[in-house]
């Protein structure tokens, strides 16, 4: 036990030394561990959710922050960003994803950004810079709390899931995000006509090993599994989307299919140490939902029903299994 504590302390010290020695001289806008050792902001407590205001691109914006019950200001903490769906808000996403309930999460901090007009960058005709908004949130969070820079991840629903893909394809933030898990994602491509199974998917990721875990229902009538025209842009088929990520990550286009539950399979790409770097969970008879075996705001809508599996613990396990390496997480500092 003593050796474990010493190892953790050494790792923390290493992060602090490198961040302090390298970040400041180069004039970077953030220090990954600047918030370590600080008391919680006024009015916040362990296990609490707080609404926070932030200026970004000349706009006053906001996000909800959940401080996990096990947060310790001297131990770098995992951070999850969770983006709401179109025409929803940060609070509805918090209630939907279950990432703040003790049954699933007591250790990771969760941030729920609020979209302008309940929309996200990447949705047709949306011009707001949510990549910069996310960057500003990360810089602020890392200045206030002790965040583990190797365990910054993102998930989201629908349009928010589509924005996760934008983060994964951003040349800078893709190197800051350890892993992403979009749910019922809307991955718009501005092209016409729409060849959903072959459309070129633009991406400028800054690395070639981005862990990507997607979820989609076969009965999704909002963002169809087989893609097609929507809002005068093109949605790829979900098999094309996930296969494209596998190829981009150097895993090839062949997958292993594993039954998970009734009417539910997992398509997994990669071999050896890269097994499961890219995955898709598909349940054939659920709709545009956050998969859950318990009632939620998605599956209680008319014509919907509970899923045969729960996405939330799968997402948390995926995030835990795919941290950035120490060198990767410090690359932006260097």
């Amino acid at each position: 036990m003593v050796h474990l504590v010493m190892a953790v302390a050494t790792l923390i010290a290493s992060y602090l030394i490198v961040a302090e020695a390298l970040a400041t001289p180069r004039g970077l806008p953030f220090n990954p561990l600047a918030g370590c050792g600080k008391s919680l902001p006024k009015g916040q407590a362990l296990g609490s959710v707080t609404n926070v205001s932030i200026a970004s691109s000349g706009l006053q914006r906001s996000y909800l922050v959940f401080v996990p019950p096990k947060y310790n200001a001297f131990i770098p903490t995992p951070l999850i960003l969770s983006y709401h769906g179109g025409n929803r808000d940060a609070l509805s996403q918090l209630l939907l994803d279950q990432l703040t309930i003790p049954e699933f999460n007591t250790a990771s901090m969760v941030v729920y950004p609020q979209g302008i007009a309940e929309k996200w960058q990447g949705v047709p005709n949306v011009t707001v810079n949510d990549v910069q908004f996310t960057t500003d949130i990360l810089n602020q969070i890392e200045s206030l709390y002790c965040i583990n820079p190797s365990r910054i991840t993102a998930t989201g629903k629908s349009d928010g899931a589509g924005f996760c893909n934008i983060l994964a394809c951003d040349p800078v933030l893709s190197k800051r995000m350890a892993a992403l898990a979009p749910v019922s994602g809307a991955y718009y491509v501005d092209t016409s006509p729409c060849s959903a199974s072959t459309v070129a998917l633009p991406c400028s990721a800054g690395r070639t090993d981005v862990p990507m875990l997607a979820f989609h229902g076969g009965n999704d009538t909002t963002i169809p599994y087989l893609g097609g025209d929507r809002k005068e842009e093109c949605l790829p088929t979900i098999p094309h989307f996930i296969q494209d990520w596998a190829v981009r990550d150097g895993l090839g286009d062949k997958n292993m299919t594993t039954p998970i539950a009734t009417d539910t399979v997992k398509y997994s790409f990669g071999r050896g140490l890269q097994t499961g770097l890219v995955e898709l969970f598909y349940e054939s008879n659920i709709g545009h939902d956050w998969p859950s075996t318990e009632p939620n705001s998605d599956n209680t809508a008319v014509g919907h029903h509970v899923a045969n599996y729960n996405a939330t613990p799968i997402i948390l396990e995926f995030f835990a299994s795919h941290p950035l390496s120490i060198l990767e997480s410090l690359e932006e500092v260097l």
Side-chain angles (χ1 to χ4, degrees):
M1 183 67 178
V2 173
H3 294 297
L4 177 60
V5 173
M6 291 178 63
V8 171
T10 300
L11 179 60
I12 295 172
S14 298
Y15 274 128
L16 288 170
I17 290 171
V18 176
E20 181 66 25
L22 298 179
T24 303
R26 302 218 176 190
L28 292 176
F30 70 97
N31 178 336
L33 292 173
C36 291
K38 292 184 178 180
S39 300
L40 290 175
K42 185 178 180 180
Q44 296 187 17
L46 298 182
S48 69
V49 176
T50 308
N51 187 59
V52 178
S53 295
I54 184 172
S56 180
S57 300
L59 300 172
Q60 198 64 28
R61 303 195 60 176
S62 67
Y63 60 87
L64 300 177
V65 59
F66 166 71
V67 180
K70 293 184 179 180
Y71 176 75
N72 185 315
F74 295 95
I75 299 177
T77 300
L79 171 66
I80 303 171
L81 300 168
S82 187
Y83 295 86
H84 62 76
N87 299 317
R88 294 197 179 183
D89 57 21
L91 179 58
S92 69
Q93 180 66 12
L94 182 152
L95 297 174
L96 179 66
D97 67 19
Q98 298 184 302
L99 290 171
T100 61
I101 67 173
E103 178 184 353
F104 295 126
N105 174 37
T106 59
S108 293
M109 184 168 291
V110 190
V111 165
Y112 296 89
Q114 177 61 51
I116 294 290
E118 291 74 48
K119 297 290 192 297
W120 295 111
Q121 181 179 346
V123 175
N125 301 316
V126 172
T127 58
V128 67
N129 189 345
D130 286 316
V131 168
Q132 184 60 51
F133 178 40
T134 297
T135 301
D136 293 338
I137 289 175
L138 289 177
N139 292 346
Q140 184 172 79
I141 290 291
E142 287 181 322
S143 73
L144 296 174
Y145 310 92
C146 192
I147 299 301
N148 187 337
S150 72
R151 293 190 177 275
I152 297 174
T153 55
T155 185
K157 164 76 190 301
S158 191
D159 290 347
F163 183 64
C164 287
N165 185 60
I166 288 179
L167 295 177
C169 286
D170 184 79
V172 176
L173 286 183
S174 60
K175 295 188 288 185
R176 207 166 170 182
M177 297 287 171
L180 302 102
V183 178
S184 301
Y187 312 111
Y188 291 100
V189 181
D190 187 7
T191 188
S192 182
C194 180
S195 300
S197 60
T198 59
V199 61
L201 303 178
C203 188
S204 300
R207 59 191 179 108
T208 57
D209 59 347
V210 178
M212 178 66 66
L213 169 65
F215 299 82
H216 221 92
N219 197 32
D220 190 331
T221 57
T222 303
I223 307 297
Y225 185 72
L226 296 180
D229 292 291
R230 191 169 195 268
K231 296 185 177 182
E232 299 183 353
E233 292 196 8
C234 183
L235 293 172
T237 70
I238 300 304
H240 174 46
F241 168 81
I242 203 67
Q243 188 179 69
D244 195 71
W245 262 111
V247 171
R248 188 179 297 119
D249 277 355
L251 308 179
D253 59 2
K254 306 300 181 184
N255 68 77
M256 180 173 65
T257 304
T258 306
I260 297 300
T262 303
D263 300 317
T264 307
V265 296
K266 176 179 71 172
Y267 300 109
S268 181
F269 294 82
R271 294 182 178 180
L273 295 176
Q274 290 186 311
T275 298
L277 188 67
V278 172
E279 293 184 330
L280 168 65
F281 279 72
Y282 169 72
E283 184 167 346
S284 62
N285 64 353
I286 63 170
H288 191 60
D289 300 339
W290 184 283
S292 175
T293 55
E294 298 295 326
N296 62 28
S297 58
D298 282 347
N299 61 37
T300 54
V302 175
H304 294 242
H305 56 82
V306 297
N308 289 310
Y309 72 102
N310 196 331
T312 299
I314 295 172
I315 290 171
L316 288 169
E317 181 179 358
F318 185 78
F319 287 167
S321 300
H322 294 91
L324 287 172
S325 69
I326 292 177
L327 292 178
E328 284 177 321
S329 61
L330 290 175
E331 184 173 339
E332 286 303 289
V333 176
L334 295 170

